[in-house]
Amino acid sequence: MFKTISFKSSDKQYADIAFAIRQKVFVIEQKVDAREEYDEHEEESLHYLLYKDETPIGTARCRQTDKGVKLERFAVLPEYRKDGAGSFLVNAVLNAVMPLNKKIYLHSQVAAMNLYRRAGFKEEGELFYEANIPHYRMVFIK
């Protein structure tokens, strides 16, 4: 039913699909400024596309930082959010980065925190805002 592929942003065919999903979810739905959504980390990140059957329905990226591996830009199209797509994507990215044996963390929108908790993340620190959306830093503890 679900599958993921990974790619670099230089693979324009896949990058265009991922960016279109991010455009729909972050820029249009959540009103994030496109200048904040697409940043200087696109090229260094490893990107993922989530497919349901042959249809691309979600995306994410990860990158190494001085604090560990940061998971970012998780986006699933609204019509696919209730059927486990988000959990599948989070777990697929986690399974890909766990062999690196580094700290794994992310910045979760408050509305998505339960998704990440189910995958083994725990919030730490204080509430903060990115792109005018409330977030918590969450660290993988499993």
Side-chain angles (χ1 to χ4, degrees):
M1 177 185 235
F2 295 123
K3 70 177 179 180
T4 58
I5 62 160
S6 61
F7 63 95
K8 296 297 276 181
S9 64
S10 58
D11 189 331
K12 189 143 175 53
Q13 171 191 351
Y14 293 125
D16 286 350
I17 296 167
F19 289 172
I21 292 169
R22 286 169 51 186
Q23 175 80 15
K24 287 177 187 172
V25 171
F26 295 123
V27 178
I28 296 170
E29 179 184 341
Q30 296 184 354
K31 313 247 185 297
V32 172
D33 187 314
R35 292 171 296 198
E36 285 187 74
E37 177 53 30
Y38 308 103
D39 63 18
E40 69 275 12
H41 302 296
E42 301 297 351
E43 288 183 14
E44 72 188 80
S45 297
L46 183 61
H47 297 260
Y48 296 85
L49 272 174
L50 171 66
Y51 287 83
K52 181 174 184 180
D53 302 317
E54 300 303 314
T55 304
I57 64 165
T59 188
R61 74 178 194 193
C62 66
R63 62 188 172 93
Q64 294 198 41
T65 73
D66 58 355
K67 297 174 185 146
V69 178
K70 185 176 184 194
L71 311 186
E72 302 176 304
R73 303 304 200 270
F74 282 89
V76 173
L77 295 173
E79 58 269 31
Y80 297 98
R81 291 184 190 152
K82 298 294 183 197
D83 60 3
S87 292
F88 186 93
L89 181 58
V90 171
N91 286 313
V93 176
L94 273 173
N95 288 334
V97 301
M98 279 194 284
L100 299 173
N101 290 319
K102 296 192 177 205
K103 183 176 188 173
I104 302 169
Y105 70 102
L106 53 79
H107 294 170
S108 174
Q109 293 182 12
V110 169
M113 289 176 70
N114 283 334
L115 169 71
Y116 300 118
R117 284 185 188 118
R118 288 191 302 271
F121 285 86
K122 180 175 168 63
E123 62 265 22
E124 68 176 26
E126 301 297 318
L127 179 75
F128 63 94
Y129 285 79
E130 283 182 348
N132 296 317
I133 298 170
H135 285 73
Y136 276 95
R137 176 183 166 91
M138 296 187 82
V139 176
F140 185 65
I141 55 169
K142 275 191 179 173

